[in-house]
Amino acid sequence: EAMTIAGFACGATEGMIYLRGEYPLAETRLRHAIRAARAAGLLGEAVAGADFHFDIEIRRGAGAYICGEETALFNSIEGLRGEPRSKPPFPVEVGVFGKPTLVNNVETLANVPWILLEGGEAFCATGTPESSGTKLFCLSGEVQRPGLYELPFGATLGELLELAGGVLDGRPLRAVLLGGAAGSFVGPDRLDLPLTFEGTRAAGTTLGSGVVLVYSDTADLGDALLRIASFFRHE
């Protein structure tokens, strides 16, 4: 629905969802959702009875860390090596297959229908003035219940860890990696850190994609750093 709305807003007739080839379950669910949207009249010819055509296709790629950069994503969609392009021209002028392209993260788009139904003011009632709404956090590592957690912006790192039952086996916390491999470590003294764009920026770290990786006192952080360095060398 959100992609259809975005297409209508900017005059696009085609939407693409880029999906890494390693995610077959996600592909099954997405194809089901696309079929359901088409059956509900939200995709295809005359969307919702209006003079507007829009459809969505899934583009699977080998996937690479660099494909998080939008122009590298375009190259991968086109069947080329996933490498960034020089800018300008910018995607809104020359994007995928040379066409003007609007690029958004799925998590961003997911907010659009709710905002249209309830209004921007209602959306901004959750979170903080600079970080509105909620955020998805992918919590992993040495916690009791790893998984995907949705919290309003402004919740603290400690509150997120509490939702997951705390550190595995009740062990002391050694460090938390925020923002994924390109993020940074914070210590157990930062459990009061507000999970907002402005809060993490002030603390010299980042939310990134919402990855939160927890290490107990048994962790070998030197080994963790070598693994991250190896990952970036490979990518």
Side-chain angles (χ1 to χ4, degrees), residues 119-135:
E121 197 172 302
F123 181 79
C124 290
T126 302
T128 69
E130 292 184 58
S131 302
S132 301
T134 62
K135 175 69 182 163

Side-chain angles (χ1 to χ4, degrees), residues 124-183:
C124 290
T126 302
T128 69
E130 292 184 58
S131 302
S132 301
T134 62
K135 175 69 182 163
L136 293 172
F137 295 97
C138 182
L139 188 59
S140 60
E142 297 176 76
V143 290
Q144 298 282 6
R145 293 184 297 275
L148 196 64
Y149 290 83
E150 183 176 17
L151 285 172
F153 278 111
T156 65
L157 179 59
E159 288 170 340
L160 175 60
L161 296 188
E162 279 179 29
L163 281 177
V167 180
L168 195 63
D169 299 326
R171 299 206 60 88
L173 177 66
R174 176 98 184 265
V176 177
L177 177 59
L178 285 178

Side-chain angles (χ1 to χ4, degrees), residues 27-232:
E27 183 188 16
T28 299
R29 289 173 172 168
L30 281 167
R31 291 199 185 282
H32 173 75
I34 289 170
R35 285 194 300 269
R38 198 171 284 128
L42 300 176
L43 289 175
E45 301 287 346
V47 171
D51 183 21
F52 171 61
H53 168 77
F54 186 79
D55 219 331
I56 295 172
E57 64 172 306
I58 294 173
R59 286 273 175 162
R60 296 183 68 187
Y65 188 79
I66 194 62
C67 288
E69 196 281 330
E70 55 196 15
T71 61
L73 182 75
F74 298 159
N75 276 350
S76 183
I77 287 173
E78 293 176 13
L80 304 173
R81 184 182 176 90
E83 293 181 331
R85 302 173 182 176
S86 297
K87 295 185 239 183
F90 293 98
V92 292
E93 300 161 331
V94 181
V96 69
F97 296 112
K99 304 288 187 182
T101 306
L102 173 71
V103 189
N104 275 294
N105 187 285
V106 169
E107 186 181 4
T108 302
L109 285 169
N111 292 304
V112 169
W114 196 93
I115 292 171
L116 279 180
L117 288 169
E118 307 295 335
E121 197 172 302
F123 181 79
C124 290
T126 302
T128 69
E130 292 184 58
S131 302
S132 301
T134 62
K135 175 69 182 163
L136 293 172
F137 295 97
C138 182
L139 188 59
S140 60
E142 297 176 76
V143 290
Q144 298 282 6
R145 293 184 297 275
L148 196 64
Y149 290 83
E150 183 176 17
L151 285 172
F153 278 111
T156 65
L157 179 59
E159 288 170 340
L160 175 60
L161 296 188
E162 279 179 29
L163 281 177
V167 180
L168 195 63
D169 299 326
R171 299 206 60 88
L173 177 66
R174 176 98 184 265
V176 177
L177 177 59
L178 285 178
S184 55
F185 290 92
V186 297
D189 59 330
R190 299 312 309 266
L191 290 178
D192 60 346
L193 178 68
L195 297 173
T196 60
F197 295 117
E198 66 274 17
T200 51
R201 190 164 53 242
T205 183
T206 177
L207 281 185
S209 59
V211 169
V212 179
L213 181 56
V214 178
Y215 296 89
S216 77
D217 62 338
T218 62
D220 182 345
L221 292 186
D223 180 65
L225 287 171
L226 283 173
R227 286 165 62 88
I228 291 170
S230 174
F231 167 77
F232 277 119

